[in-house]
C-alpha cells in the first residue's frame, strides 16, 4: 500500500518538473535530477523488500 502511494506521488512530481510546463521552464535540470535520485532510491528499496 505504501509503495503504491509513493509511486503515485513520484509520478505526479515527475510530471510537475517536466521543463515543458511554463512554471518550470527556468528551473533547468535540478528538479528532474533530484526526482531521478528519489526514483532510484525507491526502486532499490522496493527490490530489497523494505517497502
Amino acid at each position: 500500500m505504501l509503495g503504491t502511494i509513493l509511486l503515485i506521488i513520484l509520478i505526479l512530481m515527475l510530471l510537475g518538473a517536466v521543463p515543458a510546463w511554463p512554471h518550470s521552464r527556468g528551473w533547468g535540470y535540478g528538479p528532474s535530477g533530484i526526482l531521478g535520485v528519489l526514483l532510484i532510491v525507491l526502486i532499490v528499496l522496493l527490490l530489497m523488500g523494505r517497502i
Side-chain angles (χ1 to χ4, degrees):
M1 180 69 182
L2 180 64
T4 305
I5 293 171
L6 287 174
L7 186 61
I8 291 171
I9 290 172
L10 189 63
I11 289 171
L12 290 175
M13 288 172 64
L14 282 170
L15 287 175
V18 172
W21 304 106
H23 70 275
S24 63
R25 280 208 174 112
W27 294 352
Y29 291 107
S32 60
I34 292 170
L35 292 174
V37 169
L38 288 175
L39 181 62
I40 291 172
V41 169
L42 183 64
I43 290 172
V44 169
L45 288 174
L46 285 171
L47 289 175
M48 291 175 52
R50 302 283 179 167
I51 297 180

